[in-house]
Amino acid sequence: MTRHEPVEALASLRHEFGEHGGVNMSIEASSTFTVVDPATMPDIFAGRKSPESGGCYLYGRHFNPTVYQLGRQLAALEGTEAAYCSASGMGAISAVIFALCSAGDHVVASHTIYGGTWALLNDFMPAKTGVQTSFVDTTNLTAVKNAITDRTRLLYVESMSNPTLRVADIPSLAGIAHEAGIPLVVDNTFSPLVLSPARLGADIVVHSLTKFIGGASDLIGGAVCASAEFIGNLMDLHVGPLMILGPTLDPSVAASVALRLPHLPLRMAAHGERALALAGRMATLGVTVGYPGLSGHPDQALLERLRHPDFGYGGLLTIDAGTEEKAMALMNTLQNDHQFGYVAVSLGYFDTLLSCSASSTSSEMPEEALQNAAISPGLVRIAVGYSGSLEQRWTQLETALRATGLVAKR
């Protein structure tokens, strides 16, 4: 297993100049594109010419030059042949599912995934397409293998599960998927740079650009990183989900994301450093904390083996407050009494974001599914930011933990 060096791969990619020689690439705002030779247009519609085969652009919903260049950069980061972007992470995930499945097909997915993805697979796809999903504990490799049928078209996992932070054994899962003749699809939103799923055996990697890659909670976007053939299929003029369904990323957003990629390594390292320090201190106080960088985490050894050493163990941790009431009290105190962070969904922001997963980002899941996924009513997901000093944030956190009874008062 060769180590993927995403920072070097991005730096080795040709840097596109702006239209007039600017150091940043231009934002191509055109919705439609000129062909110099009219005879070229039939070739584009027939799929004989494309940006890859001659720089031909047709229409902004199909390919946009600015979005296309962002895709090249993300492909370099993930170590795939190609990538293209969508208007949201769910747009990217939905496009992949639609591309791989036909009516009546079957999906095997982790039972612990983002609530929106769970609703897509559990509710939307069966109702609209007849595609059924078996949700399994993907840390149990035998259960994964047994769930695959002759109608299964993909295996879907998150590199770090939302919100329980279980780490996917991507090489083993890829082996199971490939033995069955199906692709492994990995959502790497929680761990860009920390993990490189394609280099570990995954066939398709999806992202919500909204999170760590965006980094400022000011934009929405998604991405699919895969083979050039698969990305081409997503953009096919007749059956390509990214083309036909229209989840098009705005080129201004694409340009904004591209400007943030060079400092993504610095940000991921900062998130991870702060999260590890806070998690370790809470564990010492006896708090029920979940963080894959701690020795007590069930997947710490696995993550140590799979991760890139320069970017830590990720920027999220969990606290199990026991009950929803205590979780709400803790978040209220942290936000309103101590300015530790904000009670808000999402992650990857420079300030800390707090949410109670069972009643927010996983609320699409019924009670039985939440129990199976080990998402307790009092589980607080903390997307750790890097603003302020460590000692400042630790004092705020410790004071709130003691005030809400999660740590004994002195």
Side-chain angles (χ1 to χ4, degrees), residues 160-165 189-192 211-212 268 271-272 274-276 279 289-293 297 313-319 346-348 353 355 357 380-385:
M160 291 187 187
S161 63
N162 184 1
T164 57
L165 305 180
T189 297
F190 272 29
S191 48
K211 313 302 192 299
F212 284 114
M268 290 306 300
H271 283 294
R274 181 67 60 86
L276 179 61
V289 58
Y291 185 68
H297 190 279
Y313 301 90
L316 288 107
L317 57 84
T318 62
I319 297 172
S346 200
L347 52 118
L353 301 179
S355 60
S357 296
V380 178
R381 190 186 76 181
I382 302 181
V384 180

mmCIF file of all heavy atoms in Angstrom, residues 160-165 189-192 211-212 268 271-272 274-276 279 289-293 297 313-319 346-348 353 355 357 380-385:
data_model
loop_
_atom_site.group_PDB
_atom_site.id
_atom_site.type_symbol
_atom_site.label_atom_id
_atom_site.label_comp_id
_atom_site.label_asym_id
_atom_site.label_seq_id
_atom_site.Cartn_x
_atom_site.Cartn_y
_atom_site.Cartn_z
ATOM 1 N N MET A 160 -15.055 8.030 8.077
ATOM 2 C CA MET A 160 -15.342 8.111 9.511
ATOM 3 C C MET A 160 -16.834 8.327 9.633
ATOM 4 O O MET A 160 -17.375 9.282 9.070
ATOM 5 C CB MET A 160 -14.581 9.254 10.174
ATOM 6 C CG MET A 160 -13.098 9.056 10.263
ATOM 7 S SD MET A 160 -12.321 10.370 11.252
ATOM 8 C CE MET A 160 -10.589 9.982 11.000
ATOM 9 N N SER A 161 -17.501 7.471 10.361
ATOM 10 C CA SER A 161 -18.962 7.486 10.373
ATOM 11 C C SER A 161 -19.510 8.694 11.108
ATOM 12 O O SER A 161 -18.962 9.140 12.125
ATOM 13 C CB SER A 161 -19.497 6.197 11.001
ATOM 14 O OG SER A 161 -19.100 6.098 12.359
ATOM 15 N N ASN A 162 -20.590 9.214 10.574
ATOM 16 C CA ASN A 162 -21.293 10.355 11.153
ATOM 17 C C ASN A 162 -22.454 9.847 11.996
ATOM 18 O O ASN A 162 -23.365 9.223 11.466
ATOM 19 C CB ASN A 162 -21.812 11.243 10.016
ATOM 20 C CG ASN A 162 -22.480 12.507 10.497
ATOM 21 O OD1 ASN A 162 -22.552 12.773 11.686
ATOM 22 N ND2 ASN A 162 -22.980 13.294 9.556
ATOM 23 N N PRO A 163 -22.482 10.072 13.301
ATOM 24 C CA PRO A 163 -21.562 10.882 14.098
ATOM 25 C C PRO A 163 -20.641 10.075 14.997
ATOM 26 O O PRO A 163 -19.923 10.648 15.827
ATOM 27 C CB PRO A 163 -22.527 11.681 14.960
ATOM 28 C CG PRO A 163 -23.600 10.678 15.278
ATOM 29 C CD PRO A 163 -23.733 9.802 14.050
ATOM 30 N N THR A 164 -20.657 8.749 14.892
ATOM 31 C CA THR A 164 -20.001 7.916 15.901
ATOM 32 C C THR A 164 -18.499 7.782 15.703
ATOM 33 O O THR A 164 -17.818 7.216 16.556
ATOM 34 C CB THR A 164 -20.637 6.514 15.921
ATOM 35 O OG1 THR A 164 -20.552 5.940 14.603
ATOM 36 C CG2 THR A 164 -22.099 6.589 16.350
ATOM 37 N N LEU A 165 -17.980 8.245 14.563
ATOM 38 C CA LEU A 165 -16.544 8.285 14.314
ATOM 39 C C LEU A 165 -15.900 6.906 14.331
ATOM 40 O O LEU A 165 -14.746 6.753 14.766
ATOM 41 C CB LEU A 165 -15.844 9.231 15.320
ATOM 42 C CG LEU A 165 -16.390 10.658 15.362
ATOM 43 C CD1 LEU A 165 -15.631 11.491 16.386
ATOM 44 C CD2 LEU A 165 -16.312 11.312 13.994
ATOM 45 N N THR A 189 -15.946 13.035 3.571
ATOM 46 C CA THR A 189 -16.182 14.396 4.044
ATOM 47 C C THR A 189 -15.522 14.667 5.386
ATOM 48 O O THR A 189 -14.999 15.760 5.615
ATOM 49 C CB THR A 189 -17.700 14.652 4.149
ATOM 50 O OG1 THR A 189 -18.283 14.552 2.849
ATOM 51 C CG2 THR A 189 -17.998 16.014 4.729
ATOM 52 N N PHE A 190 -15.527 13.691 6.289
ATOM 53 C CA PHE A 190 -14.994 13.895 7.634
ATOM 54 C C PHE A 190 -13.472 13.881 7.684
ATOM 55 O O PHE A 190 -12.901 14.322 8.690
ATOM 56 C CB PHE A 190 -15.522 12.815 8.584
ATOM 57 C CG PHE A 190 -16.839 13.142 9.235
ATOM 58 C CD1 PHE A 190 -17.770 13.949 8.618
ATOM 59 C CD2 PHE A 190 -17.152 12.616 10.479
ATOM 60 C CE1 PHE A 190 -18.992 14.236 9.215
ATOM 61 C CE2 PHE A 190 -18.366 12.897 11.094
ATOM 62 C CZ PHE A 190 -19.282 13.712 10.465
ATOM 63 N N SER A 191 -12.808 13.371 6.655
ATOM 64 C CA SER A 191 -11.364 13.162 6.800
ATOM 65 C C SER A 191 -10.560 13.440 5.541
ATOM 66 O O SER A 191 -9.714 12.639 5.155
ATOM 67 C CB SER A 191 -11.098 11.729 7.271
ATOM 68 O OG SER A 191 -11.827 10.795 6.486
ATOM 69 N N PRO A 192 -10.799 14.595 4.858
ATOM 70 C CA PRO A 192 -9.929 14.899 3.723
ATOM 71 C C PRO A 192 -8.483 15.016 4.179
ATOM 72 O O PRO A 192 -8.202 15.535 5.269
ATOM 73 C CB PRO A 192 -10.479 16.241 3.220
ATOM 74 C CG PRO A 192 -11.153 16.857 4.401
ATOM 75 C CD PRO A 192 -11.725 15.705 5.162
ATOM 76 N N LYS A 211 -17.963 21.381 3.967
ATOM 77 C CA LYS A 211 -17.396 21.133 5.290
ATOM 78 C C LYS A 211 -15.926 21.547 5.356
ATOM 79 O O LYS A 211 -15.602 22.714 5.175
ATOM 80 C CB LYS A 211 -17.618 19.675 5.660
ATOM 81 C CG LYS A 211 -19.051 19.155 5.423
ATOM 82 C CD LYS A 211 -20.098 19.942 6.173
ATOM 83 C CE LYS A 211 -21.469 19.270 6.183
ATOM 84 N NZ LYS A 211 -22.086 19.048 4.867
ATOM 85 N N PHE A 212 -15.024 20.628 5.617
ATOM 86 C CA PHE A 212 -13.624 20.985 5.813
ATOM 87 C C PHE A 212 -13.007 21.636 4.584
ATOM 88 O O PHE A 212 -12.204 22.568 4.707
ATOM 89 C CB PHE A 212 -12.805 19.741 6.181
ATOM 90 C CG PHE A 212 -12.991 19.278 7.593
ATOM 91 C CD1 PHE A 212 -13.589 18.055 7.857
ATOM 92 C CD2 PHE A 212 -12.567 20.056 8.656
ATOM 93 C CE1 PHE A 212 -13.762 17.618 9.152
ATOM 94 C CE2 PHE A 212 -12.726 19.620 9.969
ATOM 95 C CZ PHE A 212 -13.330 18.399 10.220
ATOM 96 N N MET A 268 -6.520 21.302 8.338
ATOM 97 C CA MET A 268 -6.793 19.954 8.844
ATOM 98 C C MET A 268 -5.863 19.613 10.000
ATOM 99 O O MET A 268 -6.277 19.009 11.000
ATOM 100 C CB MET A 268 -6.648 18.926 7.725
ATOM 101 C CG MET A 268 -7.749 18.992 6.670
ATOM 102 S SD MET A 268 -9.437 18.898 7.345
ATOM 103 C CE MET A 268 -9.401 17.298 8.155
ATOM 104 N N HIS A 271 -7.206 21.554 13.060
ATOM 105 C CA HIS A 271 -8.402 20.917 13.616
ATOM 106 C C HIS A 271 -8.010 19.673 14.415
ATOM 107 O O HIS A 271 -8.487 19.455 15.541
ATOM 108 C CB HIS A 271 -9.344 20.496 12.486
ATOM 109 C CG HIS A 271 -10.143 21.595 11.875
ATOM 110 N ND1 HIS A 271 -11.123 22.287 12.561
ATOM 111 C CD2 HIS A 271 -10.128 22.121 10.614
ATOM 112 C CE1 HIS A 271 -11.679 23.186 11.756
ATOM 113 N NE2 HIS A 271 -11.088 23.114 10.576
ATOM 114 N N GLY A 272 -7.167 18.846 13.819
ATOM 115 C CA GLY A 272 -6.792 17.594 14.466
ATOM 116 C C GLY A 272 -6.000 17.790 15.741
ATOM 117 O O GLY A 272 -6.208 17.075 16.733
ATOM 118 N N ARG A 274 -6.102 20.377 17.801
ATOM 119 C CA ARG A 274 -6.978 20.884 18.861
ATOM 120 C C ARG A 274 -7.928 19.779 19.361
ATOM 121 O O ARG A 274 -8.151 19.648 20.573
ATOM 122 C CB ARG A 274 -7.773 22.087 18.346
ATOM 123 C CG ARG A 274 -8.712 22.739 19.365
ATOM 124 C CD ARG A 274 -7.994 23.406 20.515
ATOM 125 N NE ARG A 274 -7.091 24.466 20.082
ATOM 126 C CZ ARG A 274 -7.446 25.726 19.863
ATOM 127 N NH1 ARG A 274 -8.718 26.097 20.034
ATOM 128 N NH2 ARG A 274 -6.550 26.621 19.510
ATOM 129 N N ALA A 275 -8.492 19.009 18.433
ATOM 130 C CA ALA A 275 -9.422 17.946 18.835
ATOM 131 C C ALA A 275 -8.735 16.894 19.694
ATOM 132 O O ALA A 275 -9.289 16.440 20.705
ATOM 133 C CB ALA A 275 -10.032 17.301 17.585
ATOM 134 N N LEU A 276 -7.527 16.505 19.324
ATOM 135 C CA LEU A 276 -6.797 15.501 20.103
ATOM 136 C C LEU A 276 -6.509 16.008 21.505
ATOM 137 O O LEU A 276 -6.669 15.270 22.495
ATOM 138 C CB LEU A 276 -5.489 15.144 19.394
ATOM 139 C CG LEU A 276 -4.598 14.118 20.102
ATOM 140 C CD1 LEU A 276 -5.314 12.783 20.260
ATOM 141 C CD2 LEU A 276 -3.278 13.944 19.345
ATOM 142 N N ALA A 279 -9.875 16.123 23.504
ATOM 143 C CA ALA A 279 -10.356 14.763 23.779
ATOM 144 C C ALA A 279 -9.523 14.092 24.857
ATOM 145 O O ALA A 279 -10.062 13.440 25.770
ATOM 146 C CB ALA A 279 -10.335 13.932 22.490
ATOM 147 N N VAL A 289 -15.935 10.251 26.095
ATOM 148 C CA VAL A 289 -15.571 10.966 24.883
ATOM 149 C C VAL A 289 -15.189 9.964 23.792
ATOM 150 O O VAL A 289 -14.542 8.950 24.062
ATOM 151 C CB VAL A 289 -14.413 11.954 25.150
ATOM 152 C CG1 VAL A 289 -13.186 11.258 25.702
ATOM 153 C CG2 VAL A 289 -14.051 12.738 23.889
ATOM 154 N N GLY A 290 -15.627 10.246 22.568
ATOM 155 C CA GLY A 290 -15.265 9.424 21.434
ATOM 156 C C GLY A 290 -14.372 10.194 20.491
ATOM 157 O O GLY A 290 -14.768 11.249 19.981
ATOM 158 N N TYR A 291 -13.156 9.686 20.263
ATOM 159 C CA TYR A 291 -12.236 10.323 19.333
ATOM 160 C C TYR A 291 -11.259 9.261 18.840
ATOM 161 O O TYR A 291 -10.606 8.591 19.649
ATOM 162 C CB TYR A 291 -11.482 11.477 19.992
ATOM 163 C CG TYR A 291 -10.598 12.226 19.013
ATOM 164 C CD1 TYR A 291 -11.164 12.985 17.982
ATOM 165 C CD2 TYR A 291 -9.213 12.153 19.090
ATOM 166 C CE1 TYR A 291 -10.372 13.655 17.073
ATOM 167 C CE2 TYR A 291 -8.411 12.836 18.190
ATOM 168 C CZ TYR A 291 -8.997 13.576 17.176
ATOM 169 O OH TYR A 291 -8.199 14.236 16.263
ATOM 170 N N PRO A 292 -11.153 9.074 17.531
ATOM 171 C CA PRO A 292 -10.345 7.955 17.021
ATOM 172 C C PRO A 292 -8.855 8.103 17.215
ATOM 173 O O PRO A 292 -8.100 7.170 16.931
ATOM 174 C CB PRO A 292 -10.712 7.908 15.527
ATOM 175 C CG PRO A 292 -11.241 9.259 15.208
ATOM 176 C CD PRO A 292 -11.904 9.754 16.461
ATOM 177 N N GLY A 293 -8.406 9.254 17.736
ATOM 178 C CA GLY A 293 -6.995 9.399 18.055
ATOM 179 C C GLY A 293 -6.632 8.942 19.450
ATOM 180 O O GLY A 293 -5.446 8.873 19.803
ATOM 181 N N HIS A 297 -10.144 4.224 21.815
ATOM 182 C CA HIS A 297 -11.105 4.122 20.715
ATOM 183 C C HIS A 297 -10.918 2.785 19.999
ATOM 184 O O HIS A 297 -9.783 2.355 19.752
ATOM 185 C CB HIS A 297 -10.891 5.276 19.735
ATOM 186 C CG HIS A 297 -11.973 5.400 18.704
ATOM 187 N ND1 HIS A 297 -12.012 4.613 17.570
ATOM 188 C CD2 HIS A 297 -13.054 6.220 18.632
ATOM 189 C CE1 HIS A 297 -13.069 4.947 16.840
ATOM 190 N NE2 HIS A 297 -13.717 5.920 17.469
ATOM 191 N N TYR A 313 -5.844 13.128 13.452
ATOM 192 C CA TYR A 313 -6.867 12.083 13.505
ATOM 193 C C TYR A 313 -8.266 12.618 13.212
ATOM 194 O O TYR A 313 -9.255 11.954 13.497
ATOM 195 C CB TYR A 313 -6.861 11.431 14.890
ATOM 196 C CG TYR A 313 -5.537 10.800 15.274
ATOM 197 C CD1 TYR A 313 -4.565 11.548 15.940
ATOM 198 C CD2 TYR A 313 -5.258 9.473 14.966
ATOM 199 C CE1 TYR A 313 -3.347 10.981 16.293
ATOM 200 C CE2 TYR A 313 -4.044 8.899 15.324
ATOM 201 C CZ TYR A 313 -3.091 9.650 15.981
ATOM 202 O OH TYR A 313 -1.888 9.089 16.328
ATOM 203 N N GLY A 314 -8.344 13.807 12.658
ATOM 204 C CA GLY A 314 -9.647 14.374 12.347
ATOM 205 C C GLY A 314 -10.061 15.432 13.344
ATOM 206 O O GLY A 314 -9.553 15.509 14.463
ATOM 207 N N GLY A 315 -11.026 16.247 12.933
ATOM 208 C CA GLY A 315 -11.434 17.395 13.722
ATOM 209 C C GLY A 315 -12.757 17.245 14.438
ATOM 210 O O GLY A 315 -13.331 18.249 14.866
ATOM 211 N N LEU A 316 -13.263 16.014 14.571
ATOM 212 C CA LEU A 316 -14.531 15.813 15.280
ATOM 213 C C LEU A 316 -14.348 14.891 16.465
ATOM 214 O O LEU A 316 -13.531 13.957 16.439
ATOM 215 C CB LEU A 316 -15.586 15.215 14.341
ATOM 216 C CG LEU A 316 -16.108 16.188 13.293
ATOM 217 C CD1 LEU A 316 -15.560 15.827 11.926
ATOM 218 C CD2 LEU A 316 -17.619 16.211 13.261
ATOM 219 N N LEU A 317 -15.138 15.147 17.505
ATOM 220 C CA LEU A 317 -15.195 14.254 18.649
ATOM 221 C C LEU A 317 -16.626 14.235 19.163
ATOM 222 O O LEU A 317 -17.456 15.055 18.762
ATOM 223 C CB LEU A 317 -14.206 14.686 19.740
ATOM 224 C CG LEU A 317 -14.315 16.097 20.318
ATOM 225 C CD1 LEU A 317 -15.357 16.189 21.432
ATOM 226 C CD2 LEU A 317 -12.955 16.548 20.858
ATOM 227 N N THR A 318 -16.921 13.281 20.008
ATOM 228 C CA THR A 318 -18.262 13.198 20.594
ATOM 229 C C THR A 318 -18.165 13.116 22.112
ATOM 230 O O THR A 318 -17.184 12.610 22.670
ATOM 231 C CB THR A 318 -19.036 11.964 20.083
ATOM 232 O OG1 THR A 318 -18.347 10.767 20.480
ATOM 233 C CG2 THR A 318 -19.181 11.999 18.565
ATOM 234 N N ILE A 319 -19.203 13.629 22.755
ATOM 235 C CA ILE A 319 -19.396 13.462 24.196
ATOM 236 C C ILE A 319 -20.765 12.834 24.390
ATOM 237 O O ILE A 319 -21.757 13.330 23.857
ATOM 238 C CB ILE A 319 -19.357 14.814 24.938
ATOM 239 C CG1 ILE A 319 -17.993 15.482 24.801
ATOM 240 C CG2 ILE A 319 -19.715 14.638 26.407
ATOM 241 C CD1 ILE A 319 -17.953 16.908 25.358
ATOM 242 N N SER A 346 -23.368 21.038 10.699
ATOM 243 C CA SER A 346 -22.214 21.140 9.806
ATOM 244 C C SER A 346 -20.912 21.024 10.600
ATOM 245 O O SER A 346 -20.903 20.803 11.817
ATOM 246 C CB SER A 346 -22.238 22.422 8.970
ATOM 247 O OG SER A 346 -21.399 22.283 7.833
ATOM 248 N N LEU A 347 -19.815 21.159 9.900
ATOM 249 C CA LEU A 347 -18.487 20.947 10.469
ATOM 250 C C LEU A 347 -17.445 21.569 9.547
ATOM 251 O O LEU A 347 -17.753 22.025 8.453
ATOM 252 C CB LEU A 347 -18.211 19.449 10.636
ATOM 253 C CG LEU A 347 -18.445 18.592 9.393
ATOM 254 C CD1 LEU A 347 -17.173 17.919 8.922
ATOM 255 C CD2 LEU A 347 -19.517 17.533 9.689
ATOM 256 N N GLY A 348 -16.209 21.599 10.021
ATOM 257 C CA GLY A 348 -15.132 22.136 9.218
ATOM 258 C C GLY A 348 -14.960 23.631 9.323
ATOM 259 O O GLY A 348 -14.122 24.212 8.635
ATOM 260 N N LEU A 353 -18.493 23.943 16.216
ATOM 261 C CA LEU A 353 -19.931 23.773 16.022
ATOM 262 C C LEU A 353 -20.404 22.571 16.826
ATOM 263 O O LEU A 353 -19.768 21.507 16.823
ATOM 264 C CB LEU A 353 -20.253 23.575 14.535
ATOM 265 C CG LEU A 353 -19.831 24.717 13.599
ATOM 266 C CD1 LEU A 353 -20.195 24.381 12.156
ATOM 267 C CD2 LEU A 353 -20.469 26.035 14.017
ATOM 268 N N SER A 355 -23.744 19.988 18.007
ATOM 269 C CA SER A 355 -25.087 19.500 17.700
ATOM 270 C C SER A 355 -25.343 18.199 18.432
ATOM 271 O O SER A 355 -24.415 17.432 18.721
ATOM 272 C CB SER A 355 -25.279 19.306 16.186
ATOM 273 O OG SER A 355 -24.345 18.375 15.675
ATOM 274 N N SER A 357 -26.780 14.861 17.753
ATOM 275 C CA SER A 357 -27.003 14.181 16.479
ATOM 276 C C SER A 357 -28.363 13.514 16.369
ATOM 277 O O SER A 357 -29.009 13.579 15.317
ATOM 278 C CB SER A 357 -25.893 13.143 16.255
ATOM 279 O OG SER A 357 -24.646 13.779 16.129
ATOM 280 N N VAL A 380 -23.428 14.235 21.842
ATOM 281 C CA VAL A 380 -23.123 15.577 21.336
ATOM 282 C C VAL A 380 -21.950 15.469 20.364
ATOM 283 O O VAL A 380 -20.864 14.996 20.738
ATOM 284 C CB VAL A 380 -22.774 16.543 22.479
ATOM 285 C CG1 VAL A 380 -22.401 17.922 21.923
ATOM 286 C CG2 VAL A 380 -23.940 16.654 23.451
ATOM 287 N N ARG A 381 -22.176 15.885 19.123
ATOM 288 C CA ARG A 381 -21.090 15.919 18.144
ATOM 289 C C ARG A 381 -20.442 17.294 18.190
ATOM 290 O O ARG A 381 -21.125 18.315 18.066
ATOM 291 C CB ARG A 381 -21.632 15.643 16.743
ATOM 292 C CG ARG A 381 -20.542 15.427 15.696
ATOM 293 C CD ARG A 381 -21.124 15.300 14.305
ATOM 294 N NE ARG A 381 -21.527 16.594 13.767
ATOM 295 C CZ ARG A 381 -22.084 16.774 12.566
ATOM 296 N NH1 ARG A 381 -22.339 15.740 11.801
ATOM 297 N NH2 ARG A 381 -22.406 17.982 12.151
ATOM 298 N N ILE A 382 -19.136 17.307 18.377
ATOM 299 C CA ILE A 382 -18.397 18.564 18.453
ATOM 300 C C ILE A 382 -17.424 18.628 17.280
ATOM 301 O O ILE A 382 -16.476 17.833 17.199
ATOM 302 C CB ILE A 382 -17.637 18.693 19.789
ATOM 303 C CG1 ILE A 382 -18.622 18.593 20.971
ATOM 304 C CG2 ILE A 382 -16.864 19.992 19.839
ATOM 305 C CD1 ILE A 382 -17.963 18.727 22.328
ATOM 306 N N ALA A 383 -17.694 19.536 16.361
ATOM 307 C CA ALA A 383 -16.792 19.799 15.247
ATOM 308 C C ALA A 383 -15.824 20.879 15.726
ATOM 309 O O ALA A 383 -16.165 22.060 15.771
ATOM 310 C CB ALA A 383 -17.571 20.253 14.015
ATOM 311 N N VAL A 384 -14.641 20.453 16.092
ATOM 312 C CA VAL A 384 -13.713 21.315 16.824
ATOM 313 C C VAL A 384 -13.066 22.336 15.897
ATOM 314 O O VAL A 384 -12.455 21.977 14.884
ATOM 315 C CB VAL A 384 -12.625 20.470 17.517
ATOM 316 C CG1 VAL A 384 -11.649 21.365 18.274
ATOM 317 C CG2 VAL A 384 -13.266 19.457 18.468
ATOM 318 N N GLY A 385 -13.186 23.610 16.265
ATOM 319 C CA GLY A 385 -12.525 24.673 15.524
ATOM 320 C C GLY A 385 -11.132 24.937 16.073
ATOM 321 O O GLY A 385 -10.684 24.307 17.030
#
